[in-house]
Amino acid sequence: MAMAALKGELVYKIYRALTYGLSPLLHLHLHWRKLRGLEHPLRWPERLGRPSLPRPSGPLLWFHAVSLGEGMAAIPVIKCCSQKRPDVNILMTTTTFSAFEVLKTRLPDNVIYQFAPLDTPSAMDAFLGHWKPNGIVIMESELWPNLIMGASKCGIGLALLNARLSPRSFRNWSRPVLFQLISLMLSKFSLIVPLSTVQAIHLQLLQAPPFSIKFSGDLKYAVDEYEFLVKDVRHIDDLQKQLSQKHVWMAASIHRVMLGVHKVLMQTHPNIVTIIVPRHPEHGQEIAEVLQVLQKEGHSVALRSQNKKLIPGASIYVVDTLGELRQLYKLTPIAVIGGSFFPGLAGHNISEAAAAGCAVLTGYYVGHFSHMVIAMQRFNPLSVMQVSGKLELEKAVMELFSNAKILESRQKAAREAFHALSSSVLANAWNLLNFHLLRMLN
């Protein structure tokens, strides 16, 4: 073990030297991203470890998530920590500008929000030196060596929530040289909460200490723990009234194959409205351009970013905005979760659709969401329907539109499975964090 640790330290020193040498190029890349609108125009220096706010007095807990999905999963835990330990200051960081735009309005007012520093020695050392966190909670898979080793050197407690590694990441970390580094990094965590048993096995194969691995359940099930903004509710209510006399289905994080499904459904249900939610908002304009072909065939297309209401006669509604997916699921009895119909894809979160009471359909390529699909299907086989491609999807959606009893049974199964699996997730996560990190903060 001692020899393995020494090898890991050597690999880390090489990584630190490389990131130090590449810092000028990384800074140039950051400026390039700013020019493209991918970084905040004013607050981008935070990515270099330069704070825009002073550190408050007292203990401070730092939550870090890379992007919107991980950030949304962190919000219920942050709110719980804020309520149960009001004496602890909370700092939240994300990497992406798009996550910032959504999360800044959903976090409690007393939470400090900054952009995460690059994992270069100067940026990370400056960040840790200024904020001096007493504990760090990392979401999912943000395993950055300078962050973790720098925190450990400063005696800062580390926790990894919703821990997961993609198959590709697991293979890469298992390579001889990187294996030494990842085993050293994982040894610095006092708490690791994996998404599933499979993820726990992968982490143990990478030599995560067995005593640090605990289970709470997937925090993505905690979607019921955060509230909607008043303006969001008003906009959704208005849209719901417009759709009340329509056959509505939603395709989220989806590929263009759904447009073909829409055309088939239109033949038997001319009053249908298909809500398309692309994975990234910048894809909305791209999809709108593709939909021009359908417009020539008589289909009216509307973009949510241009008009919160549905244009009269529109049969396709493209949601090219961020942070509204959970609210929009309440508009539709049927939700197709994409990124799952072709090899090489990894699926997307189905829990929000299930929580809203949608009949949930997805493909078979669901990646690290497989544990969620399996758990829900074990609770009730009707809770998640998996289809292999366009023809099966057309048949399934057509059946749901045509048979109200089948649709209702699938909606009920999804909702009940979600509530059964989500009942204690947040409480479990809080108890683990409190025991391993927070109880030592005074």
Side-chain angles (χ1 to χ4, degrees), residues 30 52 108 110 120 136 188 245 247 259 288 340-341 365 437:
L30 188 66
S52 59
N110 60 336
T120 61
I136 301 174
K188 306 302 181 183
Q245 302 301 316
H247 282 93
L259 303 180
S340 58
F341 291 97
Y365 303 98
L437 285 186

Side-chain angles (χ1 to χ4, degrees), residues 52-362:
S52 59
L53 293 169
R55 187 202 190 280
S57 59
L60 184 143
L61 185 63
W62 172 22
F63 281 81
H64 172 58
V66 61
S67 192
L68 182 58
E70 297 86 349
M72 289 298 245
I75 285 180
V77 186
I78 289 173
K79 288 186 174 181
C80 187
C81 289
S82 184
Q83 292 166 2
K84 293 181 179 292
R85 287 294 303 268
D87 58 309
V88 175
N89 300 293
I90 296 178
L91 168 68
M92 172 73 175
T93 64
T94 56
T95 300
T96 64
F97 186 21
S98 57
F100 168 81
E101 288 293 292
V102 175
L103 296 177
K104 66 181 180 182
T105 59
R106 285 168 167 76
L107 288 167
D109 293 337
N110 60 336
V111 173
I112 304 164
Y113 196 165
Q114 298 278 282
F115 285 97
L118 299 173
D119 197 54
T120 61
S122 59
M124 194 57 67
D125 290 351
F127 186 91
L128 293 174
H130 175 80
W131 293 107
K132 296 180 175 61
N134 301 89
I136 301 174
V137 180
I138 298 173
M139 299 300 298
E140 298 203 4
S141 56
E142 283 291 274
L143 297 170
W144 292 102
N146 285 322
L147 188 165
I148 293 167
M149 299 304 294
S152 177
K153 184 179 178 181
C154 296
I156 302 168
L158 285 160
L160 185 63
L161 292 188
N162 260 26
R164 67 175 181 87
L165 294 170
S166 67
R168 181 180 179 183
S169 293
F170 177 68
R171 288 193 300 270
N172 288 337
W173 282 119
S174 299
R175 300 179 193 278
V177 174
L178 292 180
F179 179 81
Q180 307 298 333
L181 178 58
I182 190 64
S183 62
L184 176 66
M185 291 162 59
L186 292 174
S187 72
K188 306 302 181 183
F189 285 87
S190 57
L191 173 65
I192 298 175
V193 185
L195 272 178
S196 64
T197 303
V198 171
Q199 291 292 343
I201 292 170
H202 285 173
L203 289 162
Q204 284 192 291
L205 288 172
L206 295 174
Q207 295 192 345
F211 63 80
S212 69
I213 296 178
K214 311 292 180 182
F215 291 92
S216 73
D218 189 344
L219 283 169
K220 286 188 169 66
Y221 282 125
V223 293
D224 266 359
E225 302 295 337
Y226 61 86
E227 66 275 1
F228 298 147
L229 302 178
V230 175
K231 66 179 181 66
D232 292 339
V233 173
R234 185 174 65 251
H235 290 151
I236 295 300
D237 286 346
D238 290 343
L239 190 55
Q240 190 167 32
K241 292 175 183 176
Q242 293 179 275
L243 295 171
S244 60
Q245 302 301 316
K246 304 283 187 179
H247 282 93
V248 184
W249 71 295
M250 179 188 291
S253 302
I254 216 72
H255 288 77
R256 294 175 182 176
V257 66
M258 296 304 137
L259 303 180
V261 178
H262 169 82
K263 291 175 69 176
V264 171
L265 294 173
M266 282 284 291
Q267 295 173 11
T268 53
H269 297 86
N271 68 334
I272 196 171
V273 172
T274 299
I275 302 175
I276 294 181
V277 186
R279 172 63 174 164
H280 301 286
E282 60 269 23
H283 293 174
Q285 190 59 47
E286 294 176 21
I287 292 180
E289 291 171 1
V290 173
L291 295 183
Q292 287 178 1
V293 177
L294 290 176
Q295 286 179 318
K296 292 177 181 177
E297 299 175 8
H299 303 296
S300 179
V301 182
L303 281 176
R304 183 160 176 78
S305 62
Q306 295 177 2
N307 195 321
K308 291 293 183 180
K309 294 184 178 181
L310 188 67
I311 299 171
S315 61
I316 299 176
Y317 190 58
V318 180
V319 180
D320 55 338
T321 54
L322 273 172
E324 296 187 291
L325 187 55
R326 184 191 167 205
Q327 299 96 298
L328 289 166
Y329 279 131
K330 293 184 177 295
L331 299 175
T332 174
I334 302 169
V336 180
I337 314 301
S340 58
F341 291 97
F342 301 99
L345 300 178
H348 294 295
N349 185 11
I350 64 173
S351 66
E352 293 179 323
C358 299
V360 180
L361 294 87
T362 190

